Amino acid sequence: MLDHILSILIFFPAVAGMLGFVVKPEGIRAYGITVAVVEFALSLVLWLGYDPSVSGMQFMETLPLVPSFGINYIVGVDGISLFIIILAAFFTMIGIASLPETKNEKNMIVTLLFLQMTMVGVFAALDAIAFYVFWELSLVPMLYIIGAWGGPLRIYASVKFFLYTFAGSLVMLVGMLFMAYFYYQVTGKWSFSLLDWYRLVLPESYQIWLFLAFFLGFAIKVPMFPFHTWLPYAHGQAPTIGSVILAAILLKMGTYAFIRFSLPLFPDASVFFMVPIAFLAIIMIIYTAMVAYAQEDIKQVVAYSSISHMGVIILGTFALNVEGISGSIFLMIGHGVVSGALFLLVGVIYERRHTKLMSEFGGLADVMPRYALIFGIMLMASVGLPLTINFVGEFLSFLGFYQQSHILTLVAGTAIIVGAIYMLAAFKKAFFGKVTKKENENLPDLNKRELLALIPLAIITVWLGVYPKPVLGPINSSVESVVELMHEKAQNPEYKKKIADVKAIKLARAAEVKEAK
Amino acid sequence: MEKYLYIALFAPLVSSLFSALFTAQKKKQFVGVIASLLIFTAFASSTVLLVHILNGGEPIHVTLMTWMATGGLNIPFGFVVDEVSVVMMMVVTLVSTVVHIYSNGYMDHDKSFNRFFAWLSAFVFSMMVLVMSDNYAGLFIGWEGVGLCSWGLIGFWYNKESATWAANEAFIMNRIADLGMLIGLFLVYWNTGTLQYEEAFAAFPGLDHATLVWIGIFLFIGAMGKSAQFPLHTWLADAMEGPTPVSALIHAATMVTAGVYLVIRSHPLYDLIPNVGLFIASLGAFVAIFAASMALVNRDMKRIIAYSTLSQLGYMFAAAGLGAYWVALFHLMAHAFFKALLFLGAGNVMHAMHDELDPFKMGALKEKMKWTWIMMTIASFALAGVFPLAGFYSKDAILEVGFVEHHYIIYTVLLVTAGLTAFYSFRLVALIFHGEDRYTLFGIHPHEAYKFMLWAMSPLLILAIIAGAFQHTFFELVEEALNAVHYHIHSHVTLWIMIIGTQAFVLASIFYAYKKYARKGIKVPDGTSETEQSFLYKLLYNQYYIPYFYDEYFVKPYRELSSIFWKKVDLKVVDATVDGIAKVLYSTGSATRGMQSGNLSTMLRWMVVGLVVLLMIAVAVGLAARYSAELSQFLAGLGV
C-alpha cells in the first residue's frame, strides 16, 4: 500500500465524496467525519513511512498521460510538502468535525472532500501539468463554498476570488509551457516533470521573464501586496469552514510553489528579485498589520493578520539559506494551525451572536472563560511568543534573512511589534472590560464539539513550539538539498555568493563532530 | 546536584499548571498553599545549589534536548547553575516564596484567586528559565515569558479599562525593545555561529570592534525595555495597575532587573567595548536622577515606589556600564529585598485604606499599623542607603566605582540622586504614617494586615537589615566569574569624607522630608497652592509630559494612519484599481462585440487594422532592440 499511498491520499477523498451523494442526509456528517479520519490516519501512515534521513522525493509514482508531450502523472513527497499534506488532512478532519448545523450539509461535505483531493494533489504533484490541474481545480470547491454558503456579498466575493487567482495562474501556465518548450529545445524531448526541469540551467534573461510569469500566479495566491484585496472579501463572506481551509491550506500553495518552482528553477532570478520582493514582503508585514489594527470586524483582523504573516514567510523564503527557508516552511505550518484556529474561534462567536463586530462584545472573559483561554493561547502564538509554534518559524525566517540584509530585517522585524498591537487591541476590545451588552450576558462557553476541534490545535501549538524537531528535521534535510541545487545552478558569480553554500556548512558541521569526538 | 537544578526549575511550572487547573473555579485555599509550597521547594533547591557553589563546587550544566536545529543553527534547552545564575535564582525564588505566601492573604477576597497563582507561578518559571539558560535563545524564551506573565498580571483585573490598557502598553513597549534584542541575537549568530554563551564569549575577542559595538548596542536595547530605561520607561509606572504583590515581585525585585542581568551575563562582551559601557552608565545615571525627580511630587504611593525602582535600576546600569558587574549584581540583590519589602508594606497600607493610593489622604497610620510602619521605615532607610542597612553597602559601592573610575559627573549625579531618594522615601513614610490622620475624613477604618502576611515579610526585613554583611562572601563568590575587583579609594581621608559626607547628606534629606510632611496641618492638595502652580511642579507631576507626548505623537498618529491605510489606500486605491482593470476588460469585451458582426467586409477591415498595428509594434520593437543592447538581451528571454 505504501507504494501507492500518495495516490490513495489524493483520490480516496474524491471517490468517497462521489459516494457521499448516495448517503442519506442524516448519516452524511458521520460519513464525512469517518472519511476525513481515515484520510488523516493515512497521512500519518505517510509520515511514519517517510524516511527523514533521505532528503529527496519519496513515495514517487509515475503514470504516463500524454507521453508524446512529456505530460505524466507524477507524485512524490519530501520534507517540504510532507507536513503541509498532513496539515491539509488534519484541517479537513477538524473542519468537518466542527461543522455547525448547515443547510445542504451533504453538498458541503462532498465539496470539502473534493477540495481535499485538490489540496493534497497540489502538494504532491511533481509534474507541472498535474500541478496546474490540481491548482486550478482547487478554486472550484472554494468558489462554491463561498458562493453558496457565504454572506450577503458572497457572489461578488467568490467571483472576485475565482477570476483574480485564475488570471494569475493563466500567466503561470504560459510560463510552464515555455519551460517545457525550452526543455524540448535543449534535450529534444518534451517534459513537464519538475525533476527534469531541475536539471535545466537557464540563461539569466530567460530566468527573469519566467520568474515573473510564475511570480504573478503565486503572488496572487499568497496573496502578496498589492494583489491581496481579494482575500478580505473572501474571508469576510466565506463561512467559517471556508475561511479555515483558505487560511490554513490554500494560501500556503503560493508560498509552497515559490520554494518548489521559483527557487530551484530560477536561482539567479531569485537573487535578482530578492530585494524587490523583500520590499513587498515588508509592505505586507507593516501595512496590512496597520490595516488589521483599523478593523472593526474581528474576522477581518484575522484575515489581514494572515497577509502580514505571509509576508514573513515570503521573507524567509527569499533568505536563500537553510535557516530562512526552513523557517518559512515551518511558519507555513505554524500559521496554518494558528490562523485556522483563530478562524474557528471567530466562527464560535459568530454562531452565537451572528455578528463579528468587536464593538458588540467586551468582557467575554467573564462569560466564556474557556473560550478566552484558548483564544489567548492562539493570540500569543499569533504574536510569536517563544515556545509556541509560530515563534520557531518567525525566528528562523528573520534570522535567515538577516544574513542577506540587516536593515531590511530590522524593518521587517517590526512585525513582532505591529503584530502585538493589533492582536492585543482586538483581544482587549472583545474579552476585557465589562460586559456591556445584554445579549452577551448568558453566552454559553465552548461546547464539546468545539473543544474537540480546538484542544488538539492548542496542543499542537505548544507541542511544536517546545519540540519542533520531528517536523523541522525532515524539512531541514530537504531544504538543504534545494539550497544546494540552487547554489550549484546559479551562474552569475555575484548571485552565487548570495545563496548559502550548504556543502561548506555540512563540511564545517562534520569537522565539528569529529573534533568533539 | 542536577536533581536540585531540575526541581528549582520545574517546581514553579508544576505549581503554575496545577493552579491553572482550577482557574475556572471558585477560590480554593489549597491552591494558594500548594503553590506556595512548590515555590518554597524551588527556593530550598536553590539554596542547596548555592551552598554547593559556595563550597567551591563546579558549575552545573545540563542539556535537556534540542530545541531548534536547522542549517548551521543548533539551539538546545540547556541550563547552567554558576556563580551568577545561582545568585539570581536565590533572589527570584526567595522573593517569590515571600510573595506567594503573602498573596494568600492579599488576594483573599478575590474571585480569581486560583488564576492569580497560575500566573504568578508561571512568572517564576519564566524567570528561572531566563536566569538559568546557558544560551541567548533560552534567555529570550524566559524574556518573552516574563513579558507574557507581566501582561497577564498587570491586566489581572481585566474589567478595569486602565489595567488592560497598562498591560498592553507594557507588552508592546517591551516588544519594541525585544526587536533590538532579536537583532542582537542574529548578529551574535551570524558572527560567531552559535548562541551558546560560552562559545560566543570565546569568539567575541576575534570579531572586529564595530561588530561588537553593534552587538552590545542591540542587546542593550533589549535590556532597556525590560528594565524600563529611558525612553522606554513609561510602562513601569502604569504597570502599577496590577495587584501589589505583582508589583513587588515582577516590577521591583525580579523582572525589571532582567536587563541588568543580561548586561552582567554578557560581561565578556561589554568588557571589550568600554565606550558602549560608558554610554550605558551615563544613561543609567540619567535615569537615576530623572526617575527620582518624578518621584518627588507624585501623589500615588505605588507610582512613587515604581519611580524609585526605576531610579535604582539606573544605579545598577551605572555600575554595570562602568565594568563593576559584581557591584551591580550586589545592588540588584540588596534592592530586591528592601524594595519588595517596601511594596508589600504598601500593599498592607492599600488594604487598610480600601485601595486608596494618595498618601495625602492617609497620615498617622503608625498607630494602627505598627509592624507595617516599622517594616516600611526600615526598608526606606535601606533604600536611602543609611548605615548599616543593605542599601548602604550596595549603593555606596556604586558611588565609589564612579569616583575611582574618574567619572565625576556620573558620581555627582548619583550622589545628588541619593539625596533625592532619601527625600521622597521619607516624604512617603511621613505622609502615610506620621502627622495627623486625614483618612477619617474619607470614612476609612484602617486595620493591620493578617499576622501571617507580616511573618511572610519578615525574611525580607531581616535581609534588608543584614544583607550588607554578606558583601565579602558575595565578592568571593563572583570574583572569578565576573572579574571582580575591589574599588579602593587610596586616600583614607577622601574615603571617610565621602562616606560621612554622603551619610550626612542623606540624613539631612530624611530630616527635611520628615519636617516638611510629618507636621500638622497638611492638606490634601487641590491644585491651588503656589507650589502646584509652578512650572517645575507641573513638569514633574506630568512626568515631563512624556506620556502625553507618546500618546499625541505615536499612538494617535498610528491609529489615524491605520485608518487611512484601510479606508483610503486599501479600499479606494489598491482594490479599486483591481476592480477598475476588471471593469475595463469587461466593457472592452462588450464594446468590441460589434467587431465580430459576421459581416465579412467589416471583419476584413478590422483585420487590416490589426495587421498594421502589429507591424508597427514589430518595427518599433526591432528599432528599439537594435539601438539598445540591454533591451535586446532582456528580450532574448522571450525568444525574440
Side-chain angles (χ1 to χ4, degrees), chain A residues 227-261:
Chain A
F227 308 111
H228 66 278
T229 51
W230 61 267
L231 187 75
Y233 282 105
H235 275 311
Q237 301 305 318
T240 300
I241 178 76
S243 292
V244 170
I245 304 272
L246 183 60
I249 314 294
L250 290 187
L251 298 191
K252 308 300 177 292
M253 289 183 180
T255 44
Y256 164 80
F258 271 120
I259 296 170
R260 194 53 100 213
F261 286 84

Side-chain angles (χ1 to χ4, degrees), chain A residues 1-11 42 45-50 57-63 73-77 124 126:
Chain A
M1 188 183 86
L2 272 179
D3 289 340
H4 296 289
I5 187 150
L6 276 174
S7 293
I8 297 172
L9 269 171
I10 296 171
F11 294 109
L42 285 173
V45 171
L46 179 75
W47 189 6
L48 283 179
Y50 183 85
M57 290 295 166
Q58 303 185 28
F59 305 107
M60 285 208 19
E61 289 171 55
T62 311
L63 187 77
Y73 166 83
I74 309 174
V75 290
V77 67
L126 293 177

